[in-house]
Amino acid sequence: LFLKWYKKNSMQAETIKNELISLADNEKATILTSFFQTKKGQYAYGDLFLGVPVPQIRKVVTPYKSLQLKEIAKLLQSKFHECRFAALVLLVDQFTRGNKIERETIYNFYLSNTQSINNWDLVDVSAHKIVGAWLKNRDRCVLYELAKSDSLWDQRIAIVSTLAFIRINQFDDTLRLSEFFLTHNHH
C-alpha cells in the first residue's frame, strides 16, 4: 500500500508534464516561439513551447494543488515553458493558502529557483504574488540584490514584486527601482 501511494505521489510532476504534452499544439507552439523571442541572440533563446494555452495549463494543475515542492521543482526544471508555468501557478496557489511557515518555505524555494523563472510571463504570474506578498511588511533589501543581478529575469522579479506594494499604496521601492532601471538596455 505504501509503495502504491509513494509511486503515485512521486510521479505527479511526470503526470502533469505528460498531460501538458498530450495537449501540445504545434501551430500555437510556433507562434509562441516567435512571440517569446526564442531565437539565438534573443532574450528567451532555447525556450521550448508546447503550445498549450494558459487556461488549459491551469485546468491541468487543478487536481494537484497540494503537490509537494520536490515535484514542483521537477516541473520548474522542465525544458518546456508550460511545465514551468504550471509549477508557478501551483506555487502561487500554495503560497496564498499557506500558513506563515509554508509561505516562508515557498518564498525561499522561489528565490532559490529563479534561474528557471526565465521569461516575462513566468515572472509576471508569480513575483508579486510570492516575493512581493512575503515582503509587504518585511525588509526589502532582497529586491535591490535582485535588481543588481546580471540576470534580466532576476531584475524583472525585483520590479514586478513591487506590484504587491503598489496595491497597498506603498510606492517608494517601485520608484527607487524604476530609477535604477531608467538606463537599462533591455526594452
Side-chain angles (χ1 to χ4, degrees), residues 14 17 25 35 51 56 59 67 98 110 112 123 129 136:
E14 194 66 27
K17 178 181 158 188
D25 182 326
F35 180 76
Q56 283 187 302
K59 186 175 180 182
L67 192 65
Y110 185 93
S112 66
V123 172
K129 294 177 180 178
K136 275 184 188 174

Side-chain angles (χ1 to χ4, degrees), residues 12-185:
Q12 289 179 331
E14 194 66 27
T15 302
I16 292 169
K17 178 181 158 188
N18 289 335
E19 283 186 52
L20 292 171
I21 289 171
S22 76
L23 296 169
D25 182 326
N26 289 335
E27 200 173 299
K28 286 180 183 169
T30 301
I31 293 167
L32 291 171
T33 298
S34 175
F35 180 76
F36 282 97
Q37 301 184 28
T38 63
K39 293 180 182 165
K40 190 170 183 162
Q42 295 180 318
Y43 67 77
Y45 174 64
D47 210 355
L48 298 176
F49 285 84
L50 295 168
V52 182
V54 170
Q56 283 187 302
I57 296 170
R58 290 183 183 280
K59 186 175 180 182
V60 166
V61 300
T62 297
Y64 302 97
K65 288 184 183 265
S66 298
L67 192 65
Q68 295 177 1
L69 283 182
K70 69 178 187 162
E71 290 296 299
I72 291 175
K74 292 176 188 176
L75 287 172
L76 206 49
Q77 294 160 7
S78 174
K79 63 182 180 178
F80 297 115
H81 186 92
E82 289 86 347
C83 289
R84 295 193 308 278
F85 192 95
L88 293 166
V89 168
L90 289 166
L91 278 178
V92 166
D93 181 68
Q94 288 183 16
F95 183 90
T96 303
R97 292 183 295 111
N99 61 37
K100 184 179 178 185
I101 293 168
E102 292 164 336
R103 290 165 58 103
E104 183 175 17
T105 300
I106 291 166
Y107 164 79
N108 288 320
F109 175 85
Y110 185 93
L111 289 180
S112 66
N113 285 282
T114 60
Q115 73 282 355
S116 297
I117 306 166
N118 59 352
N119 214 312
W120 62 266
D121 64 322
L122 301 177
V123 172
D124 294 2
V125 77
S126 60
H128 64 290
K129 294 177 180 178
I130 295 174
V131 177
W134 180 255
L135 296 176
K136 275 184 188 174
N137 300 309
R138 293 180 174 84
D139 185 329
R140 299 171 183 174
C141 65
V142 69
L143 297 180
Y144 298 90
E145 292 170 24
L146 289 165
K148 292 176 187 172
S149 168
D150 291 334
S151 165
L152 170 66
W153 308 115
D154 284 353
Q155 296 167 358
R156 188 173 182 96
I157 289 168
I159 192 66
V160 171
S161 293
T162 69
L163 179 56
F165 314 148
I166 291 169
R167 289 184 173 160
I168 56 173
N169 293 320
Q170 295 177 7
F171 306 102
D172 290 347
D173 294 293
T174 307
L175 294 172
R176 241 181 263 131
L177 286 167
S178 295
E179 192 173 311
F180 179 78
F181 289 130
L182 271 178
T183 59
H184 198 281
N185 62 354

